[in-house]
Amino acid sequence: MSSHREAPGISKDPVADSTDVYAFVSPDKPDMVTLIANYVPLQGPAGGPNFYEFGDDVLYSLNIDNNGDGYADVTYQFRFSTKVADEETFLYNTGPIERLNSPNWNRRQFYTVTREDHGHWRELGRNLACPPCNIGPLSTPDYPALAAAAVHDLGGGRHVFAGQRAEGFYVDLGSIFDLADLRPFASAHEHYGLHHYPTNGPGVNATKNLNVHSIALQVPITDLTRDGKHHPHASDECAVIGVWTSASRQRARIYDTDHAEYVNSGPFTQVSRLGNPLFNEVIVPMGKKDYWNTQPPAHDKQFASYVAHPGLAELLPSLYPGVFPELAKLNKSGKARADLEAILLTGLPAGIITGFQNYTGATQADMLRLNTAIRPSAKPSIYGLLGNDLAGFPNGRRVFDDVVAIELRAIAGTTYSLVDKSYTGDPAAKAVTDGLTPADLNVPYLRHFPYLGVPHSGFTTPSS
């Protein structure tokens, strides 16, 4: 939920609100790429009697740019439909749901997945069943088995899943949005001059009891690269793909009072998108957030000034006087943050980090950029590239990457030395964190597709 409720308009439309997107070479199948898009943020476990689901009137997309122009070359589209067996009961289920076709399950959701490749459309699956929400031990007595049955084989090693998952993004929302209160990193206070600021102790994970709805797709690398080949060398530009998710609605929506339902018509128009985590949430100003959600990545040059001169970077030295003096000097110089422009808008070219590049060209576009030639790390670091792990963010994004700490450290100046070797940076910038790690999640990630954990049960998990 790194982009949860990030714009005024989409905050009122949760089924179309893209909260996180992930793209990584599958650790257990290194010839495959896994793409995950999360929607419907801030789901408390107890959601009845109207449990959470995807929007039947929303067009969901996973988009891949493999030639660097900021437009989708390959798109996977998902359309959902809900079927109610008995409209005379208020119940989601009338008994235990022990299989996906259980007659006790009253409100079921199905979907179709279609691939579009340069104007060529191919339906990959139809009437694919979603699992139910994780209600509790009486209604969903073996939830892992239900979820496993909802992983559908699309042929050729391809798999798809759409349904409820445990929220895998960890963040101390209370501290981050309390004027970027970074006090939870108590262990660094004395060393980095923060002893003047009282600590709150360890960070509080605001998402540890929450669920999301995930669309997960696992396909061969060769399905996504420009030339349809698997490139073994990281230096090969054809190995890099750009990834983002988007949600669209039809332009016209009318409420039919005779049937007590909305009727939609007209062409689809984009209402939400997400590439890099926290981009719209932290970089784009309030007055342009809803507009940003309607634009393709190819048009992101119009937002580049907010990346080159991010407001949070200007704010940190004021919030913590004396802690970020080098960042303050950099801000005062007026120099553009070429490091952030590369990380977020073009990818890092070869020669900056040994053995690594995820450069997609000069077009400035907010996308996750994944170098598919870089194999999964045997000893992954949650800090990705900042932790000397070439397989982690901002090389795509894995479910466990600490994107909050990585991006805060980058904005605080840690990565500026990549483009200016004379810049020494502030020691505190390398320690910035909200105090959380994957250990602060209540549910572990899976070691296999779809990788996000079993959703929290409404019976056993508190709502807050």
Side-chain angles (χ1 to χ4, degrees):
M1 126 170 73
S2 63
S3 189
H4 69 293
R5 294 172 49 84
E6 90 291 346
I10 201 63
S11 69
K12 303 175 181 66
D13 189 5
V15 296
D17 186 356
S18 51
T19 69
D20 285 284
V21 63
Y22 304 92
F24 52 92
V25 176
S26 307
D28 53 331
K29 297 180 179 181
D31 59 339
M32 311 288 283
V33 165
T34 295
L35 309 174
I36 305 173
N38 288 347
Y39 286 84
V40 199
L42 301 174
Q43 294 182 24
N50 296 299
F51 289 91
Y52 299 97
E53 60 190 19
F54 293 102
D56 289 355
D57 53 354
V58 177
L59 172 63
Y60 300 93
S61 300
L62 283 165
N63 308 288
I64 298 90
D65 171 21
N66 57 31
N67 65 7
D69 63 358
Y71 291 104
D73 298 296
V74 177
T75 298
Y76 295 91
Q77 293 189 345
F78 300 80
R79 294 298 310 273
F80 292 84
S81 62
T82 302
K83 299 179 181 179
V84 179
D86 183 1
E87 294 187 349
E88 294 301 314
T89 178
F90 72 93
L91 291 169
Y92 182 78
N93 57 295
T94 56
I97 304 173
E98 297 177 329
R99 59 185 190 275
L100 294 183
N101 62 351
S102 169
N104 296 328
W105 185 10
N106 191 42
R107 186 177 178 89
R108 303 173 64 195
Q109 197 162 50
F110 302 85
Y111 63 100
T112 298
V113 55
T114 306
R115 174 186 162 107
E116 190 270 332
D117 184 349
H118 295 95
H120 301 286
W121 294 86
R122 182 160 63 97
E123 187 177 278
L124 303 182
R126 172 174 288 274
N127 290 326
L128 303 176
C130 298
C133 289
N134 191 3
I135 304 168
L138 295 183
S139 293
T140 48
D142 188 355
Y143 194 84
L146 286 171
V151 174
H152 299 285
D153 187 345
L154 299 178
R158 302 169 184 87
H159 291 91
V160 67
F161 171 89
Q164 192 178 51
R165 291 281 87 190
E167 173 62 80
F169 175 64
Y170 47 96
V171 62
D172 188 337
L173 289 175
S175 68
I176 293 298
F177 289 105
D178 186 10
L179 290 178
D181 186 345
L182 305 178
R183 292 179 291 172
F185 67 114
S187 62
H189 272 52
E190 292 291 334
H191 187 70
Y192 295 119
L194 293 175
H195 52 277
H196 299 296
Y197 304 93
T199 81
N200 291 332
V204 177
N205 184 15
T207 68
K208 68 178 182 179
N209 293 327
L210 300 179
N211 297 322
V212 291
H213 263 55
S214 301
I215 296 171
L217 183 69
Q218 189 174 67
V219 297
I221 291 173
T222 53
D223 281 6
L224 305 180
T225 55
R226 184 190 317 174
D227 55 4
K229 297 179 180 179
H230 187 176
H231 299 271
H233 304 295
S235 59
D236 194 328
E237 64 178 17
C238 288
V240 181
I241 59 173
V243 177
W244 70 100
T245 186
S246 58
S248 303
R249 286 189 174 279
Q250 289 176 279
R251 286 183 177 271
R253 192 183 196 201
I254 300 172
Y255 189 70
D256 180 354
T257 56
D258 293 333
H259 298 90
E261 63 182 11
Y262 285 101
V263 178
N264 302 284
S265 64
F268 281 92
T269 185
Q270 183 176 292
V271 297
S272 174
R273 68 160 162 139
L274 179 60
N276 282 295
L278 301 170
F279 190 98
N280 196 20
E281 192 145 17
V282 174
I283 298 292
V284 179
M286 183 73 71
K288 296 186 177 181
K289 289 181 181 295
D290 288 321
Y291 172 67
W292 181 90
N293 265 329
T294 69
Q295 298 295 290
H299 294 178
D300 282 343
K301 184 177 181 180
Q302 61 189 309
F303 306 105
S305 63
Y306 305 115
V307 178
H309 303 282
L312 183 56
E314 296 285 345
L315 191 62
L316 285 175
S318 299
L319 293 174
Y320 297 94
V323 177
F324 299 102
E326 296 302 317
L327 178 62
K329 292 177 186 176
L330 178 59
N331 292 339
K332 189 175 181 180
S333 74
K335 294 179 181 178
R337 290 295 301 273
D339 58 323
L340 300 180
E341 291 176 307
I343 291 169
L344 299 175
L345 293 177
T346 64
L348 291 165
I352 292 180
I353 297 176
T354 302
F356 178 79
Q357 65 90 18
N358 65 346
Y359 185 64
T360 55
T363 298
Q364 294 180 312
D366 170 40
M367 305 182 290
L368 286 178
R369 289 172 170 82
L370 175 65
N371 188 323
T372 60
I374 295 176
R375 295 180 65 83
S377 175
K379 296 181 179 180
S381 167
I382 63 172
Y383 302 114
L385 283 182
L386 294 187
N388 298 314
D389 179 359
L390 302 186
F393 182 77
N395 185 27
R397 180 187 174 189
R398 301 167 301 194
V399 294
F400 55 81
D401 284 335
D402 189 351
V403 294
V404 172
I406 295 169
E407 292 198 343
L408 284 175
R409 293 176 186 187
I411 288 174
T414 295
T415 54
Y416 191 70
S417 60
L418 294 175
V419 297
D420 184 349
K421 300 299 182 183
S422 67
Y423 181 77
T424 56
D426 299 298
K430 299 178 181 179
V432 170
T433 175
D434 63 349
L436 299 175
T437 73
D440 294 290
L441 294 169
N442 284 349
V443 173
Y445 303 113
L446 302 182
R447 295 181 179 271
H448 53 80
F449 184 83
Y451 300 102
L452 293 175
V454 175
H456 302 279
S457 161
F459 179 83
T460 59
T461 308
S463 59
S464 61

